[in-house]
Amino acid sequence: MEPVIIVLIILVVLVFIALIKTIQVIPQASAAIVERFGRYTRTLNAGLNIVVPFIDTIRNRIDLREQVVPFPPQPVITQDNLVVNIDTVIYYQVTDARAATYEVASYIQAIEQLTVTTLRNIIGGMDLERTLTSREEINAALRGVLDEATGKWGIRVNRVELKAIEPPTSIQDSMEKQMRADRDKRAAILQAEGVRQSEILRAEGEKQSQILRAEGEAKAAALRAEGEAQAVRTVFEAIHAGDPDQKLLSYQYLQMLPKIAEGDANKLWIVPSEIGDALKGLSGAVGNFGPLGGGSGSNGSSGGGAERREKPDID
């Protein structure tokens, strides 16, 4: 009985192992390559799959999701014979599990080597300055070459990014000095522009101020002259309205003479020729007032003159 029990136990174990090998569960976004006696049979997709135990074997399980592979820095020589280290990052995705398994031995290593050689060809035709400022151009050219070459491997390259471009230390020092000089130059230019603009605004302000001041003075002088003209006109009209005679005008003229001589600076003053006419008018006025003050004086003076004529000569 014991050998029969042992055989039954062995059969149960074999059946259990066969069931395990028959049922294959493939996760989502994955694929499996099935070989029968070492030859490709089919590709298992996500879900529950049935294979023939001990005949069909799982060769490879491949992740179909997008993968990110960073590559170490690679020394590349530019057109102007400078060595720069470039870090690259590749975003790829397996689209054909069979081609990725049988068309290339290691697609990751193949992508890395293809990236290095393509990058050296692209950078070799650029100088350092263009290399530092043409990341998008380099990425596009590198992606085009990789996508074309990896298509037959069942790989699709979605993006290629240059993570870092490191020139030599001496070149970095020179670039820092140049950038510092450019910043100082721009700062000096901006400061000069500011001073120039400030001087222009100040000159414009002074010009506007002088124009306004001159306009104010001109208006004030015009108003002053107009006021004086109005005053002269008013006085003239008042004089003509009062109808003064020559005697009154002569008297007013004599009253103004002391005012002409006023002031410490008046060391010399000129008597106008009209003073004689004024004095004649004034003397005429005083002569007219003489008979009103008493005629005896006049007679007495003529009588005195007569006495002088009659007075005997001393000689």
Side-chain angles (χ1 to χ4, degrees), residues 4 35 69 84 104 111 115 120 148 158 188 191 240 244 271 288 290:
V4 175
E35 292 181 348
V69 179
V84 295
V104 62
I111 292 175
T115 300
R120 287 176 178 173
E148 181 181 359
N158 296 327
Q191 184 176 1
H240 280 275
V271 177
N288 293 331

Side-chain angles (χ1 to χ4, degrees), residues 93-100 103-104 149-156:
Q93 186 176 8
V94 177
T95 58
D96 188 352
R98 178 185 175 280
E103 296 295 335
V104 62
T150 58
K152 62 182 180 179
W153 300 339
I155 307 295
R156 183 177 69 243

Side-chain angles (χ1 to χ4, degrees), residues 78 80 82 84 126-133 167-168 171 175:
T78 62
D80 46 358
L82 293 175
V84 295
M126 299 181 177
D127 55 9
L128 179 60
E129 185 176 358
R130 184 181 175 188
T131 301
L132 295 175
T133 58
I171 301 299
M175 292 173 62

Side-chain angles (χ1 to χ4, degrees), residues 52-260:
V52 179
F54 305 107
I55 297 177
D56 293 341
T57 58
I58 303 298
R59 166 68 186 274
N60 191 15
R61 294 178 183 268
I62 298 177
D63 193 347
L64 300 179
R65 294 174 297 179
E66 185 176 10
Q67 303 292 322
V68 181
V69 179
F71 295 143
Q74 300 294 329
V76 181
I77 300 177
T78 62
Q79 188 177 11
D80 46 358
N81 296 325
L82 293 175
V83 179
V84 295
N85 293 323
I86 300 180
D87 296 348
T88 56
V89 179
I90 305 297
Y91 297 81
Y92 73 93
Q93 186 176 8
V94 177
T95 58
D96 188 352
R98 178 185 175 280
T101 303
Y102 296 106
E103 296 295 335
V104 62
S106 175
Y107 56 82
I108 295 179
Q109 185 178 1
I111 292 175
E112 180 181 0
Q113 296 302 319
L114 183 60
T115 300
V116 172
T117 55
T118 305
L119 192 61
R120 287 176 178 173
N121 291 333
I122 296 173
I123 300 300
M126 299 181 177
D127 55 9
L128 179 60
E129 185 176 358
R130 184 181 175 188
T131 301
L132 295 175
T133 58
S134 303
R135 287 176 178 257
E136 294 297 331
E137 181 181 353
I138 298 173
N139 292 339
L142 190 59
R143 179 182 177 277
V145 174
L146 290 177
D147 195 20
E148 181 181 359
T150 58
K152 62 182 180 179
W153 300 339
I155 307 295
R156 183 177 69 243
V157 178
N158 296 327
R159 291 190 305 277
V160 180
E161 297 292 340
L162 299 182
K163 187 168 61 175
I165 301 177
E166 297 180 358
T169 305
S170 59
I171 301 299
Q172 291 182 6
D173 295 338
S174 300
M175 292 173 62
E176 290 180 358
K177 292 180 180 179
Q178 182 179 0
M179 292 175 61
R180 190 180 303 111
D182 291 338
R183 287 195 297 269
D184 295 340
K185 177 182 177 181
R186 287 195 298 268
I189 291 174
L190 291 176
Q191 184 176 1
E193 288 291 337
V195 173
R196 174 175 172 271
Q197 191 66 23
S198 176
E199 293 295 334
I200 291 175
L201 293 176
R202 185 181 299 108
E204 289 290 337
E206 293 179 356
K207 176 183 176 182
Q208 191 67 23
S209 176
Q210 292 178 359
I211 291 174
L212 294 176
R213 189 181 301 110
E215 290 179 354
E217 293 177 355
K219 290 181 179 180
L223 292 175
R224 191 181 304 110
E226 185 178 356
E228 292 178 356
Q230 185 65 29
V232 171
R233 193 179 302 111
T234 303
V235 173
F236 185 75
E237 292 177 355
I239 293 174
H240 280 275
D243 193 15
D245 55 0
Q246 185 64 30
K247 301 175 182 178
L248 179 59
L249 294 176
S250 300
Y251 180 72
Q252 292 293 331
Y253 187 82
L254 290 175
Q255 283 186 336
M256 292 298 298
L257 288 178
K259 293 183 179 180
I260 297 175

